[in-house]
Amino acid sequence: SQKIEQNSEALNIQEGKTATLTCNYTNYSPAYLQWYRQDPGRGPVFLLLIRENEKEKRKERLKVTFDTTLKQSLFHITASQPADSATYLCALDTAASGYSTLTFGKGTMLLVSP
Amino acid sequence: EPEVTQTPSHQVTQMGQEVILRCVPISNHLYFYWYRQILGQKVEFLVSFYNNEISEKSEIFDDQFSVERPDGSNFTLKIRSTKLEDSAMYFCASRVDREQPQHFGDGTRLSIL
């Protein structure tokens, strides 16, 4: 069966450290993978998109890697801040027809302590 | 920065009633989506819409649901004869083309009593 797993429900780290979140999937062949941030009671906010032929993408303090052999993506936040505390969602483009529907993982709640 | 807007932010309805959730996608976007998130669970795809027709729908999107783009700016989700299990956050999303990410609104919290 198809699965998307984000390695932990919650991750606590200290301010200034690097947070690393994992997304593993089985029985999908996504064209690309996206990471979103979700705050309580709000909609997902797009952060980064990485395509199947890309190994790594960066944006400011964020970095995403995508290994289609391992079927895994890693999401890094360097120099983390308390304002980074939120739930981070991994989403795969899984549409059969090519019209791109997103299948989400359950998310990892990140808490950055001062 | 342009954003997807959804109204109302919270809707309370009696079971069996019809509800219409409204969305204004980003103006130059061509692909539109509805997702839902039951409290404590993951975001789930409902339906995608392109060129004035449904392009894909999930098993959740049964005959109880319908979508419409009544004019050049609005995109609506109608739920007929609501059930208790329809209580959830409903998110609208849009994107400009197939290579770009989806952008989400802040959702409508639907509570069925």
Side-chain angles (χ1 to χ4, degrees):
Chain A
S1 65
Q2 296 176 318
K3 272 190 202 174
I4 301 171
E5 291 181 341
Q6 295 191 240
N7 64 324
S8 54
E9 285 195 11
L11 181 65
N12 293 327
I13 63 167
Q14 268 202 308
E15 183 175 8
K17 302 289 188 188
T18 296
T20 298
L21 285 63
T22 305
C23 176
N24 294 291
Y25 59 94
T26 54
N27 295 323
Y28 287 112
S29 296
Y32 51 82
L33 185 149
Q34 299 180 37
W35 284 88
Y36 287 81
R37 168 184 173 139
Q38 188 175 29
D39 291 284
R42 307 293 299 271
V45 174
F46 170 72
L47 296 174
L48 281 169
L49 178 152
I50 187 164
R51 293 180 169 80
E52 60 179 338
N53 59 349
E54 296 174 319
K55 296 289 185 196
E56 183 178 297
K57 207 77 167 289
R58 291 176 185 258
K59 179 182 170 184
E60 297 171 354
R61 294 185 295 112
L62 309 181
K63 184 177 89 171
V64 174
T65 62
F66 193 15
D67 188 327
T68 54
T69 303
L70 289 179
K71 296 187 184 295
Q72 182 181 80
S73 175
L74 299 179
F75 177 78
H76 307 273
I77 306 175
T78 57
S80 58
Q81 304 164 0
D84 295 327
S85 298
T87 296
Y88 291 85
L89 309 176
C90 161
L92 304 184
D93 164 21
T94 56
S97 68
Y99 282 101
S100 180
T101 63
L102 294 179
T103 302
F104 283 85
K106 282 196 77 172
T108 296
M109 189 184 306
L110 175 67
L111 179 61
V112 181
S113 306
Chain B
E1 187 169 323
E3 54 184 32
V4 175
T5 56
Q6 291 187 243
T7 55
S9 55
H10 190 194
Q11 173 85 44
V12 181
T13 302
Q14 292 287 331
M15 187 171 60
Q17 296 297 305
E18 173 182 288
V19 294
I20 297 176
L21 309 183
R22 301 182 191 279
C23 170
V24 179
I26 296 172
S27 62
N28 63 333
H29 286 193
L30 301 176
Y31 297 79
F32 313 111
Y33 305 84
W34 284 100
Y35 292 81
R36 81 171 184 191
Q37 186 174 32
I38 294 169
L39 186 63
Q41 297 189 24
K42 60 183 181 180
V43 177
E44 300 175 288
F45 167 73
L46 293 177
V47 65
S48 60
F49 193 85
Y50 171 72
N51 202 25
N52 282 319
E53 59 183 23
I54 290 173
S55 44
E56 293 214 29
K57 58 184 180 178
S58 71
E59 291 175 356
I60 304 167
F61 193 89
D62 60 21
D63 292 343
Q64 180 196 10
F65 294 89
S66 61
V67 289
E68 196 176 35
R69 188 154 162 83
D71 54 44
S73 58
N74 290 285
F75 180 49
T76 62
L77 175 69
K78 183 191 290 186
I79 310 175
R80 287 181 283 274
S81 190
T82 48
K83 304 186 269 244
L84 292 176
E85 53 265 38
D86 294 329
S87 296
M89 284 288 285
Y90 288 80
F91 295 110
C92 174
S94 69
R95 65 192 177 119
V96 63
D97 63 43
R98 290 164 60 170
E99 295 295 309
Q100 298 304 315
Q102 295 181 30
H103 294 272
F104 286 74
D106 268 339
T108 292
R109 182 154 65 100
L110 179 62
S111 300
I112 307 300
L113 306 179

